Structures are given as structure tokens and as C-alpha cells.
Amino acid sequence: MIAAENLVKEFKVYQRKAGLMGSLSTLFSREHRLVRAVSGVSFEIPSGAKAAYIGANGAGKSTTVKLLTGIMRPTSGRCYVNGLEPYRERRRNAANIGVVFGQRSQLWWDLPVLDSFRILRRIHEIPDAVYRRNMALYRKLLDLDALGNTPVRQLSLGQRMRAEVAASLLHDPKAVFLDEPTVGLDLVLKEAVRELINHVSSELGTTVMLTSHDMGDITAICDQVLVVNRGEVVHQSTMHDLLRTAESRAVIFEYRNGPPTEQAVALVQSRLDGASATVVDSVRIKVEYPAHRWSTREVMSLLIAHFDLIDCFAPEPDLEMVLRRIYTGRADGRRASA
Ligand SMILES: Nc1ncnc2c1ncn2[C@@H]1O[C@H](COP(=O)(O)OP(=O)(O)O)[C@@H](O)[C@H]1O
Ligand SMILES: [Mg+2]
């Protein structure tokens, strides 16, 4: 659905020299250096997948999204969205995609949100039934009516982002590109936006490509992960496989009877080499253990032998820690110390 083949985007950055004469000399000499924002990227996001595009600031995420949406043309390499090369067929591509740039508005600044929606309805020739269905959904999930007749420029960032996400999905695009879509939203609104994206993707099979610094967005929405660093894709896998590589596992145990919590902690640490335990409350402890050293089964066996267990569950592995390991290349996810 979305594919990149050796995609490269370079920018010419003109060196500015100090002072007026400096500025004038740059005007004439045009000395520049090249910044490689996207450096030979290849990947494929299958139809219906929800992929996270993750990387530090300046890693090249937004530039990749601009190439895929046809806003920019690549320096070399190719990319395709639903079989089209976006920068060659911008209009046809636009009919297939929705785009949100958290940092920049797609809406008409002086118009109320609902007027922007009416214009989009005409541009995309959205059938009545589709328009009505989607507006009803946005009313329910995003409280869209509350934005009413206020011009977009007077909306708060949170209100505007709600409108942006809705606008990007209005024409039932086959793929949607969301670049930092929850920037500036409070938790309740973030969840509403996540719910909307997941709903649309599961109902219509919409392919999603999401960049976000919000690990909550990524785990709530995405099933595929691409990690970019300095313009290169350094990791691609399913979210499931990525989280499975977490080196450290954690399980929380709740028990009816057993040794007092301090003793329980000591027991775990003495019997499971490399594991650590912490008291959650009077009937629960959290056990963390290195996955390469102990299997969950072994940990369970020890606990069952000493406790009258009534519940246990594994909290989600920490995505942030797993990602840090990819960046630093260290197994424990800690930064190499100086
Ligand atoms: N229009 C531009 N002109 C020059 N350099 C740019 C331009 N757009 C982006 N860059 C540079 O390209 C790199 C990647 O930028 P970007 O794609 O915005 O990263 P991200 O979205 O991952 O933070 C950065 O070093 C950035 O400064
Ligand atoms: Mg960006």
C-alpha cells in the first residue's frame, strides 16, 4: 500500500554569513551544503496496517511523509502509495490519502470548521451517505459541533487538531498519514483521536502511517513499527515482535497468603538470580527478571510454591525502553555511560 525504494531527499542549505555584507554575499555566491533528510529508505506498509514511524527529532519523519503525500519530490529513489507515485500524480494521490501535520493546518484559516468540511466535501465529491456517516461519527467521538462557527484561527490547538484529524478522514481515504496528530491534546482528547483512528481503520481497512513522540499513541494505535535514525530505517517489525525483544519482563502477583511482603521480595531475589522484586501493596509484589535468564514458567513455579496466588498479570513491556535499546544498541536499554 505504502512503499519506499531507496528513497532519498536532500536539501540545499545556504550558509548564512554574519552581517549585511555576509547576507549579500550569500545571495550571490549561493554557497551551500547538502542535508540528507532521508537517506536511502526502503520499506513496505501493507494495506490495512497501522504503522508507527518513530525517530528522534530531525530523523527525517516529516520529510518522508511529505514525499509520500506528494508535497515534495525525491532527490532519488521512488515511493508509491496505492500504486501511484505521489509527486507525479498529486491529484489522483490526494483522492486516496488523508494527511495531518500536527505543526501545520490543512484547514481554511478564516473559515469555521464546518465550512472547511463543506469545501472538502465538494473537492473530494464525497457521496451524501459517506459524508453523513462520517459527520455523525465525528460528532460522537470528537464533539465536533462544539467547534461550531468559530474560525479555525481562533480555535485552541486541541480544538484545531480534532478538526484536522476529522478533515483528513472525511473522504474515506485508503491511507492516512498522521504526523504528530495528538500534539497539544489533553489525555481525554488524545484517547478520542486514537479511538477514531482505530475505528476507521477497522471499519474501512484504512492504512495508517503515524509519527508521534507519544508512546501512548503508538501502543494504542500501531501494529507495525519502523524506526528511523538519521534518515535511515534501522528497524522494521510488527509491534508484537518488537515488544517481545524486551530484555526484561515484569509480572505483578497478587496473593491471599504467603510470606510478608519484605520476605517475599527477599525470597525472589535469593532464588531468581538477576531478578528484582518490589512491593506494590500489602498483597501484591512486582517481579522483574531478565528474559534470557528465566522463563515466565520458572518464575511462576517459584511463586506458586510459596504463595497462595490469586492473580498475576504482565504489564505491557515498556516501548520506550525497547526503542532506546535500538538507538543505543545496548541490550539493557540504558545509555552507555561516558
Ligand atoms: N525544507 C528544508 N530545508 C532544509 N532542511 C530541511 C528542510 N526540511 C527538513 N530539513 C532537515 O532535514 C532533517 C529531517 O527533518 P524532518 O523530516 O522534519 O525530521 P523529523 O520530522 O523526523 O523531526 C532535519 O535535519 C531538518 O533540519
Ligand atoms: Mg517532524
Side-chain angles (χ1 to χ4, degrees), residues 57-58 60-63 101 103 179-180 211 213:
N57 269 331
K61 304 181 297 294
S62 295
T63 305
F101 285 106
Q103 324 284 0
D179 193 7
E180 304 282 348
T211 83
H213 283 106

Side-chain angles (χ1 to χ4, degrees), residues 53 62 116-117 135 176 321:
Y53 206 60
S62 295
S116 283
F117 281 48
M135 291 304 284
V176 65
M321 202 194 79

